[in-house]
Amino acid sequence: MSRSPGRKQENNKISRELFVLTYGALVAQLCKDYEKDEDVNTCLDRMGYGIGIRLIDDFLARSGIKKCRSYSETADMIAQVAFKMYLGVTPSVSCSNAAGNEFSLILDKNPLVDFVDELPAERASLCYCNLLCGVIRGALEMVHLAAEVTFLQDRLKGDAVTEIGITFLRKPEDRKHKR
């Protein structure tokens, strides 16, 4: 028996659409469970963090990447390999400061919002995709990189792009082990 070459791509599209719809249902349920957007945002971040600390093993095994030597290399790896591998998009990366520890991931297309037009007016402070921040933070923590990850801009809130900010919390020289 042989499989048609387009079958795997079709399955990936179905899986992606199912994931996006399931994620939307999850956010909708959290909005019903919590009155405050901040509580929903915290819950999404916490869930993402749990996913990130488990996902890093799969990422390292499947990607075959070597150890990153700088924060900029780490940010590039998140954008070019991890986002592509798990979400099928490649955000652009820009460094936000001279110290080289703040980066922005700019998404032209955010697959998690494929079926969302806009946020309801009463949910203006909701970070719909806050799960992504938690995933990134959890994964980075598992490779001993403390980081603060937040949404800086969001198309669902009327911004021109979706931008995720990553601030590494230690200086590069703090990461070196003393022997």
Side-chain angles (χ1 to χ4, degrees):
M1 290 188 188
S2 65
R3 288 188 171 164
S4 62
R7 184 88 173 157
K8 184 174 179 175
Q9 186 177 16
E10 182 180 311
N11 286 339
N12 283 343
K13 184 176 181 178
I14 292 170
S15 296
R16 184 172 156 258
E17 287 179 355
L18 179 62
F19 171 70
V20 171
L21 289 169
T22 304
Y23 182 74
L26 169 73
V27 175
Q29 185 60 49
L30 289 174
C31 287
K32 289 179 184 175
D33 293 347
Y34 298 101
E35 285 183 29
K36 296 179 183 175
D37 290 344
E38 294 77 25
D39 295 337
V40 175
N41 295 341
T42 300
C43 188
L44 287 170
D45 182 74
R46 194 172 42 240
M47 292 169 98
Y49 178 81
I51 292 168
I53 62 174
R54 289 167 183 81
L55 193 64
I56 189 67
D57 289 330
D58 179 69
F59 172 74
L60 293 172
R62 288 178 50 199
S63 68
I65 63 165
K66 303 294 182 213
K67 182 178 179 179
C68 295
R69 301 278 178 208
S70 66
Y71 290 142
S72 64
E73 193 176 329
T74 302
D76 286 339
M77 201 58 59
I78 292 168
Q80 295 172 6
V81 181
F83 267 78
K84 182 70 172 170
M85 185 184 293
Y86 293 107
L87 293 175
V89 297
T90 305
S92 58
V93 179
S94 66
C95 185
S96 304
N97 68 350
N101 70 324
E102 292 182 13
F103 297 86
S104 289
L105 303 178
I106 300 168
L107 293 144
D108 293 325
K109 181 168 178 12
N110 183 350
L112 290 181
V113 299
D114 279 353
F115 302 111
V116 180
D117 292 328
E118 61 184 33
L119 294 175
E122 66 273 8
R123 292 290 184 175
S125 60
L126 176 68
C127 281
Y128 183 84
C129 297
N130 212 38
L131 183 96
L132 294 176
C133 293
V135 169
I136 295 168
R137 189 172 52 84
L140 287 171
E141 187 173 299
M142 292 308 292
V143 293
H144 307 289
L145 292 172
E148 183 179 295
V149 185
T150 57
F151 269 90
L152 303 176
Q153 296 185 71
D154 192 346
R155 280 195 174 167
L156 288 179
K157 295 181 180 184
D159 294 322
V161 295
T162 298
E163 181 179 4
I164 300 172
I166 301 173
T167 303
F168 292 97
L169 300 176
R170 290 188 208 113
K171 297 176 188 171
E173 59 270 9
D174 292 345
R175 293 177 30 197
K176 295 179 182 172
H177 294 33
K178 294 180 181 177
R179 293 184 187 210

